[in-house]
């Protein structure tokens, strides 16, 4: 795996010498921010050695590098999910590559199910913490001491200062920003109502099938992390109807422009720091 990361970085470096500051992972239906990037270079995952290629609906598979509001960014258009059959280690390979290319900050976005009854479909929540206990940790295996410590701290997985930036960006854009704890479950089946009641009891506000492995890997290698989640549907048993993938993608299309405004403003503010 370490070899694949190295070879992928080299392959990208053979195409461009662009050095990103901020890495952005785009969740389901949130790809439109890529249109705002003044693109310097695009690299398809399939052109990188050993790189997992996403198969999920709504996920293209390429890195977009360029300037967002003048800030050098690398954007993952199409993320890799555990439920596609990739190992947790493969799921986090893109984060390692983006860090290897220079990114020191990671912004993760996703679409989630809303557990808290006061959320609405289309609400945008800043992720303040996560629950990862139900899935295999991507750091299991020998530790690479050059990358990070064996037992990385997760007390502030989501950086306080970056949370302040997201709050200010939302205020300046007039966007209501909820906050929430995100629980990561493997999927791909949606949860049962009983599972959602369990999640709520455990302290989760948002439920989803992504993000957490990337955050753990990013913290391990010392990246600063913040996360935004778009409530694509109310979670099972809270919604009065059955859940469909279509609903998730449609919500992404609706709330996508709001998320794009928030992210764009936040990146500009992070670039000024
Ligand atoms: N559950 C899990 N993952 C999700 C959901 C959900 O309800 N909505 C979007 N991603």
């Amino acid at each position: 795996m370490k070899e694949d990361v190295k070879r992928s970085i080299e392959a990208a470096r053979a195409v461009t010498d662009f050095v990103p500051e901020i890495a952005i992972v785009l969740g389901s239906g949130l790809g439109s921010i890529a249109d705002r990037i003044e693109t310097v270079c695009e690299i398809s995952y399939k052109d990188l050695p050993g790189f997992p290629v996403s198969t999920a609906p709504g996920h293209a598979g390429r890195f977009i590098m360029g300037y967002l509001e003048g800030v050098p960014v690398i954007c993952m258009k199409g993320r890799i999910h555990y439920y596609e059959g990739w190992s947790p280690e493969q799921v986090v390979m893109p984060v390692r590559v983006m860090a290897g290319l220079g990114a020191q900050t990671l912004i993760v976005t996703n679409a989630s199910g809303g557990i808290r009854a006061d959320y609405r479909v289309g609400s945008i929540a800043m992720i303040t913490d996560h629950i990862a206990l139900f899935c295999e940790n991507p750091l299991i295996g020998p530790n690479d001491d050059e990358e990070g410590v064996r037992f990385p701290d997760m007390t502030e997985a989501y950086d306080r200062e970056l949370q302040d930036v997201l709050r200010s960006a939302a205020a300046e854009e007039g966007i209501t920003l909820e906050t929430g704890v995100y629980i990561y479950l493997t999927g791909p089946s949606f949860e049962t109502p009983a599972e959602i009641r369990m999640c709520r009891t455990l302290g989760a506000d948002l439920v989803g099938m992504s993000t957490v492995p990337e955050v753990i890997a990013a913290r391990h290698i010392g990246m600063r992390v913040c996360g935004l989640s778009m409530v694509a549907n109310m979670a099972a048993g809270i919604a009065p109807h059955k859940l469909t993938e279509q609903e998730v993608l449609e919500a992404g299309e609706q709330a996508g422009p709001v998320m794009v405004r928030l992210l764009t403003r936040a990146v500009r503010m992070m670039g000024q720091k």
Side-chain angles (χ1 to χ4, degrees):
M1 185 57 52
K2 192 176 176 188
E3 251 334 277
D4 282 340
V5 170
K6 215 171 129 218
R7 286 165 59 222
S8 286
I9 294 168
E10 281 164 12
R13 276 285 162 258
V15 179
T16 180
D17 56 7
F18 182 81
V19 178
E21 277 173 25
I22 300 180
I24 307 171
V25 182
L26 298 176
S28 304
L30 298 172
S32 62
I33 187 139
D35 303 336
R36 295 251 188 139
I37 296 175
E38 204 186 300
T39 306
V40 171
C41 175
E42 292 196 9
I43 301 180
S44 286
Y45 300 161
K46 64 176 169 40
D47 296 330
L48 297 175
F51 209 85
V53 177
S54 81
T55 59
H59 287 260
R62 60 187 194 276
F63 284 125
I64 298 169
M65 292 182 235
Y67 295 92
L68 181 59
E69 298 284 308
V71 182
V73 299
I74 179 165
C75 188
M76 259 187 99
K77 196 163 179 191
R79 70 140 55 88
I80 315 299
H81 301 86
Y82 179 65
Y83 64 70
E84 293 172 79
W86 304 105
S87 69
E89 212 185 0
Q90 285 171 311
V91 170
V92 302
M93 183 179 163
V95 168
R96 298 196 199 283
V97 171
M98 293 191 291
L101 292 172
Q104 291 159 5
T105 298
L106 176 68
I107 306 178
V108 284
T109 68
N110 62 43
S112 62
I115 297 176
R116 244 176 45 198
D118 59 340
Y119 291 157
R120 295 283 164 265
V121 170
S123 290
I124 294 177
M126 177 170 74
I127 302 174
T128 54
D129 205 346
H130 70 222
I131 298 175
L133 300 178
F134 297 100
C135 303
E136 190 182 327
N137 193 296
L139 306 180
I140 287 176
N143 187 56
D144 182 347
D145 295 332
E146 278 171 26
E147 297 236 293
V149 295
R150 173 73 286 192
F151 302 108
D153 176 61
M154 290 288 147
T155 314
E156 283 184 26
Y158 300 84
D159 189 274
R160 291 254 169 88
E161 264 176 53
L162 296 182
Q163 289 191 41
D164 287 343
V165 173
L166 289 178
R167 275 197 197 90
S168 308
E172 285 182 22
E173 288 290 334
I175 295 167
T176 305
L177 187 61
E178 309 285 354
T179 57
V181 173
Y182 180 90
I183 189 165
Y184 168 56
L185 303 175
T186 65
S189 50
F190 286 118
E191 302 69 36
T192 63
E195 286 163 348
I196 292 300
R197 286 193 297 276
M198 177 198 77
C199 293
R200 188 168 52 200
T201 304
L202 294 180
D205 304 307
L206 304 152
V207 59
M209 307 174 193
S210 69
T211 304
V212 166
E214 291 105 308
V215 171
I216 292 173
R219 293 299 300 135
H220 179 237
I221 53 183
M223 294 177 95
R224 298 172 74 198
V225 174
C226 64
L228 290 170
S229 188
M230 182 204 58
V231 177
N233 55 278
M234 294 312 286
I238 295 174
H241 53 79
K242 291 184 184 175
L243 308 186
T244 63
E245 181 180 313
Q246 196 51 33
E247 186 183 2
V248 173
L249 293 178
E250 276 171 19
E253 269 160 37
Q254 271 175 26
V258 183
M259 190 78 126
V260 167
R261 272 202 291 131
L262 176 55
L263 262 177
T264 306
R265 170 77 68 155
V267 166
R268 189 200 307 170
M269 293 169 83
M270 287 176 198
Q272 285 163 353
K273 293 219 156 201

